[in-house]
């Protein structure tokens, strides 16, 4: 299972109540097991703060954050993280980067190699398994990061704008690859993005966040048949969903700009 619940969560930063910055306020979000959930919202609305709560990298000021009914207090192997910045170890090969989490968890060498081989193949990097990060393109580095996160078999995969730094063509290919892997693995995914097209293309549901302090202002089911490829982006259903999200975001982005 990989059911995520944020229950009336508030996150404040700062030690003085007079100067608190409230990142999230009374946010409630329930992500069922195996759902591909996407969050969009204005810059600074608390999207990454939401992800950090589930990852165990930060604690809520009020409210609860749970996975499968268990309160999250710290990072754990049941949650895999894929950041925008890749965060690969430059001194390790592709194979060894993917094996790293397994090694930390005390998995035997033979099992590490077998698992890493599977995920390196899944992200189409078999011929680059002995290459170092400096020898890879941005898209290839991000594939390694995805393989590394999946190798430890997390219940939940947390993805913080992982394709944001890629060019549009590479981004499109990476989106299709991610969906292919997700169809096979069926992990619960929470994906953060600024890109509305990306949100609709990937998600089972898109959650729209308000300007800071962040809260969910709309929950939009994406009832577009799977499996999907890039051609769905010109369909009437896709365009209508995109319009709804753009309409929801317009006022919130304006508020965010006014807040500075």
């Amino acid at each position: 299972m990989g059911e995520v619940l944020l229950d009336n969560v508030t996150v404040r930063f700062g030690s003085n109540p007079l100067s608190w910055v409230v990142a999230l306020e009374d946010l409630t979000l329930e992500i069922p097991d195996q759902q591909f959930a996407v969050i969009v919202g204005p810059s600074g609305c608390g999207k990454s703060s939401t992800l950090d709560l589930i990852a165990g990298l930060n604690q809520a000021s009020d409210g609860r954050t749970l996975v499968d009914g268990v309160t999250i207090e710290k990072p754990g192997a049941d949650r895999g993280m894929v950041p925008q910045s890749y965060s690969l170890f430059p001194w390790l090969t592709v194979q060894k980067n993917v094996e790293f989490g397994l090694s930390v968890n005390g998995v035997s060498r033979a099992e590490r190699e077998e698992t890493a081989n599977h995920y390196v193949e899944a992200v189409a990097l078999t011929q680059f398994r002995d290459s170092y990060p400096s020898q890879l393109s941005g898209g290839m580095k991000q594939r390694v990061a995805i393989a590394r996160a999946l190798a430890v078999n997390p219940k939940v995969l947390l993805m913080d704008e992982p394709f944001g730094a890629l060019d549009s063509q590479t981004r499109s290919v990476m989106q299709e690859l991610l969906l292919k892997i997700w169809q096979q693995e069926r992990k619960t995914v929470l994906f953060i993005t600024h890109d509305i097209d990306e949100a609709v293309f990937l998600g089972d549901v898109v959650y729209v966040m308000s300007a800071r302090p962040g809260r969910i202002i709309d929950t939009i089911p994406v009832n577009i048949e799977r499996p999907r490829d890039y051609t769905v982006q010109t369909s009437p259903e896709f365009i209508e969903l995109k319009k709804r999200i753009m309409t929801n975001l317009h006022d919130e982005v304006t508020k965010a700009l006014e807040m500075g």
Side-chain angles (χ1 to χ4, degrees), residues 68-251:
D68 290 336
V70 178
T71 300
I72 295 171
E73 297 178 346
K74 60 183 180 180
D78 59 337
R79 286 148 285 141
M81 188 83 164
V82 182
Q84 182 175 345
S85 58
Y86 317 130
S87 299
L88 303 179
F89 298 112
W91 59 88
L92 296 180
T93 63
V94 166
Q95 178 82 11
K96 294 301 182 183
N97 263 287
V98 176
E99 287 184 23
F100 181 79
L102 297 168
S103 178
V104 170
N105 291 339
V107 176
S108 70
R109 179 176 178 179
E111 187 177 346
R112 288 200 312 265
E113 290 181 353
E114 181 180 0
T115 301
N117 286 342
H118 170 75
Y119 285 106
V120 168
E121 182 179 353
V123 298
L125 286 175
T126 301
Q127 61 181 325
F128 296 97
R129 69 171 67 254
D130 295 322
S131 299
Y132 290 88
S134 62
Q135 299 170 303
L136 305 177
S137 67
M140 294 164 74
K141 290 176 185 176
Q142 201 55 284
R143 281 188 267 165
V144 178
I146 292 170
R148 183 178 61 184
L150 288 170
V152 295
N153 193 29
K155 296 178 180 179
V156 181
L157 187 62
L158 305 169
M159 309 188 79
D160 193 359
E161 298 192 63
F163 307 146
L166 305 178
D167 64 79
S168 59
Q169 292 88 357
T170 303
R171 188 171 188 152
S172 178
V173 171
M174 287 297 297
Q175 290 165 359
E176 289 186 322
L177 176 64
L178 176 60
L179 284 186
K180 179 181 177 182
I181 294 171
W182 176 78
Q183 291 279 162
Q184 296 167 348
E185 298 286 329
R186 285 295 179 178
K187 303 292 184 186
T188 304
V189 176
L190 180 57
F191 189 103
I192 304 296
T193 184
H194 278 99
D195 189 302
I196 297 173
D197 287 59
E198 182 169 73
V200 177
F201 181 66
L202 293 175
D204 289 322
V205 61
V206 178
Y207 298 98
V208 182
M209 287 186 70
S210 67
R212 193 178 72 236
R215 52 187 169 70
I216 303 299
I217 59 171
D218 200 5
T219 300
I220 304 173
V222 181
N223 296 316
I224 297 176
E225 187 177 356
R226 297 187 185 274
R228 301 173 189 164
D229 62 31
Y230 70 95
T231 60
V232 305
Q233 298 185 46
T234 58
S235 69
E237 297 89 346
F238 190 100
I239 293 168
E240 283 303 310
L241 288 167
K242 183 177 176 180
K243 284 181 181 177
R244 177 173 169 182
I245 296 170
M246 290 177 69
T247 300
N248 277 306
L249 281 177
H250 182 267
D251 288 345

